[in-house]
Amino acid sequence: MATTKKDIRALSKEQLRDFFEKQGDKAFRGNQVYEWLWQKGAHSFDDMTNVSKETRQMLEDNFVINHIKVDTMQRSNDGTVKNAVRLHDGLIVESVLIPTATRTTACVSSQVGCSLDCRFCATARLKRMRNLNPDEIYDQVVAIDNESKLYFNRPLSNIVFMGMGEPLMNYNNVIKAIDKITSPEGLGMSPKRITVSTSGVPKMIKKMADDDVKFNLAVSLHSAIDEVRTTIMPFNENFPLEDLREALEYWYAKTKCKISYEYVVWKGINDSQKDIDALVKFCKYVPCKVNIIEYNPIDDGEFQQASNEALENYISNLEKNRIVVNVRRSRGKDIDAACGQLANKS
Ligand code: SAH
């Protein structure tokens, strides 16, 4: 039966306090319930043991808790864990736990499907169904934090918004989720351990700078030549590199926070000296580092990982120009959990 009850986690603490006052109860009750919802991660009103039975029933009559449910969990032989997460309306997104010797990183989704059309990404083939709510983003993080404690005996240390979706096209909800993740009333994580990755929406990058956000910014660049970038990421036609550059300069001037460029090198697409020179030039506009990501094939199509020689050429040219460059090996490939492979296949 369709429910018309309101999702209680859409309410701010103030709104919850008001609600209780209007019910003739104490505003303080709102704080208690808020703590159950966010800090203690209650899945049902019955979990709220320091709230009276009558109050719990009253909440039940008025609200729902739209908690996510981890439907299936796959573990890769390199320790990576992929969660297929069922939302209250039955839609599914994926999130990934990536362990290293010292860290556990959560890679979370921000949309069901994606609004963009990057031709090398499996998620782009799912059409965008809807944006995730702040609590649905938050819950993915909590689920991975719990798995990290269970399997690796340590809490989650980092979060990357590199799962399904374009976070800057669901900006308000992503920001609300991050507020909750960093708040002492939520998980109390430092924003410096959070990275939002975007394909590069200039207007929103400027807005983030204006909003004085404290998390890190990664940009999926993949090419610093407009014609090439437009072929692989068609939305570049509407958001050309010149606009991206201007937005990134604005970001840096306001935040003084270095940018990470994500970059995959493909055979015959962006592996020539001309591509490298363009990247080196682009990297000089704003302080940055480059993460070269291994390509995760999504089919036998036109995109193929470039040769080691091409990668070495990229690395030596960047280093010669004193640009920091890291090479990222893919994790969780055997369970389709690597970058760009999230497509609800399990
Ligand atoms: N929409 C955001 C976040 C999701 S994609 C963004 O574009 O940044 C996360 C990262 O994975 C991006 O850098 C993206 O370019 C990269 N990616 C997508 N498909 C990939 C693939 N098949 N192999 C390797 N990286 C891929």
Side-chain angles (χ1 to χ4, degrees):
M1 202 180 75
T3 170
T4 51
K5 293 186 214 170
K6 203 172 165 165
D7 178 6
I8 190 164
R9 290 191 301 168
L11 268 57
S12 67
K13 194 177 185 177
E14 271 320 303
Q15 288 170 324
L16 256 185
R17 287 168 57 89
D18 283 354
F19 172 80
F20 276 101
E21 274 192 325
K22 287 204 186 96
Q23 297 284 320
D25 203 333
K26 296 194 182 66
F28 162 76
R29 195 79 58 220
N31 297 11
Q32 269 181 326
V33 170
Y34 194 82
E35 191 177 318
W36 275 109
L37 292 173
W38 295 105
Q39 244 171 323
K40 299 182 184 158
H43 283 225
S44 85
F45 296 111
D46 278 338
D47 292 344
M48 303 180 178
T49 45
N50 62 354
V51 175
S52 75
K53 259 207 157 112
E54 296 71 48
T55 306
R56 282 187 254 157
Q57 187 57 50
M58 181 275 289
L59 289 171
E60 188 83 55
D61 295 340
N62 285 280
F63 298 107
V64 285
I65 305 177
N66 283 337
H67 225 283
I68 64 159
K69 185 172 165 291
V70 177
D71 239 17
T72 51
M73 204 201 82
Q74 289 172 276
R75 287 193 79 178
S76 154
N77 46 31
D78 67 15
T80 302
V81 176
K82 181 169 83 170
N83 293 332
V85 168
R86 183 175 294 274
L87 309 173
H88 69 91
D89 54 3
L91 292 172
I92 308 263
V93 291
E94 292 176 335
S95 30
V96 184
L97 177 163
I98 308 154
T100 65
T102 52
R103 294 175 167 197
T104 304
T105 300
C107 174
V108 296
S109 295
S110 54
Q111 297 181 313
V112 187
C114 189
S115 7
L116 299 178
D117 46 8
C118 303
R119 291 190 32 230
F120 49 84
C121 180
T123 309
R125 299 186 176 176
L126 308 171
K127 78 172 202 289
R128 190 197 75 96
M129 308 289 283
R130 70 170 171 87
N131 285 336
L132 292 189
N133 295 324
D135 48 284
E136 293 169 327
I137 298 170
Y138 181 84
D139 286 353
Q140 292 176 65
V141 175
V142 172
I144 291 183
D145 187 36
N146 290 336
E147 287 167 356
S148 180
K149 287 173 185 153
L150 184 66
Y151 297 119
F152 302 97
N153 287 316
R154 61 188 189 208
L156 178 67
S157 59
N158 297 74
I159 303 172
V160 292
F161 281 79
M162 294 190 187
M164 295 174 158
E166 169 48 53
L168 298 195
M169 295 204 168
N170 183 17
Y171 181 74
N172 290 342
N173 290 353
V174 165
I175 293 294
K176 280 188 193 154
I178 293 177
D179 281 348
K180 209 67 87 186
I181 293 164
T182 52
S183 148
E185 285 172 336
L187 296 177
M189 267 180 85
S190 160
K192 284 285 146 226
R193 294 179 170 273
I194 301 175
T195 300
V196 169
S197 178
T198 175
S199 50
V201 188
K203 196 174 78 189
M204 299 313 291
I205 292 174
K206 285 187 177 167
K207 172 145 179 56
M208 277 200 300
D210 286 337
D211 289 348
D212 199 22
V213 300
K214 301 287 182 232
F215 48 76
N216 303 299
L217 173 63
V219 174
S220 302
L221 191 60
H222 304 310
S223 173
I225 301 174
D226 267 319
E227 301 79 73
V228 179
R229 197 166 192 260
T230 301
T231 353
I232 55 184
M233 303 166 84
F235 70 88
N236 184 70
E237 178 114 52
N238 304 319
F239 304 116
L241 288 162
E242 189 51 38
D243 295 0
L244 180 60
R245 169 190 172 176
E246 195 212 327
L248 295 174
E249 285 170 342
Y250 186 87
W251 159 272
Y252 188 77
K254 284 230 159 179
T255 66
K256 294 283 172 285
C257 185
K258 261 192 181 182
I259 292 151
S260 302
Y261 294 125
E262 311 293 307
Y263 205 99
V264 179
V265 189
W266 292 283
K267 207 174 271 176
I269 293 180
N270 59 353
D271 59 353
S272 74
Q273 190 61 44
K274 193 171 153 221
D275 296 290
I276 299 175
D277 294 342
L279 175 62
V280 168
K281 186 167 172 218
F282 198 86
C283 285
K284 294 195 171 155
Y285 298 144
V286 184
C288 65
K289 65 174 184 196
V290 175
N291 292 324
I292 295 193
I293 319 175
E294 191 183 340
Y295 177 54
N296 304 304
I298 55 169
D299 53 24
D300 320 314
E302 55 185 308
F303 289 95
Q304 279 172 35
Q305 172 69 45
S307 64
N308 280 337
E309 203 188 325
L311 290 189
E312 287 306 327
N313 201 15
Y314 258 97
I315 294 165
S316 63
N317 275 266
L318 288 164
E319 286 178 342
K320 230 183 345 202
N321 284 279
R322 288 190 294 283
I323 297 156
V324 177
V325 50
N326 300 306
V327 180
R328 292 264 176 88
R329 298 238 15 239
S330 278
R331 306 285 306 272
K333 265 197 196 176
D334 55 332
I335 53 168
D336 281 334
C339 277
Q341 289 187 317
L342 302 183
N344 294 342
K345 274 204 278 186
S346 64

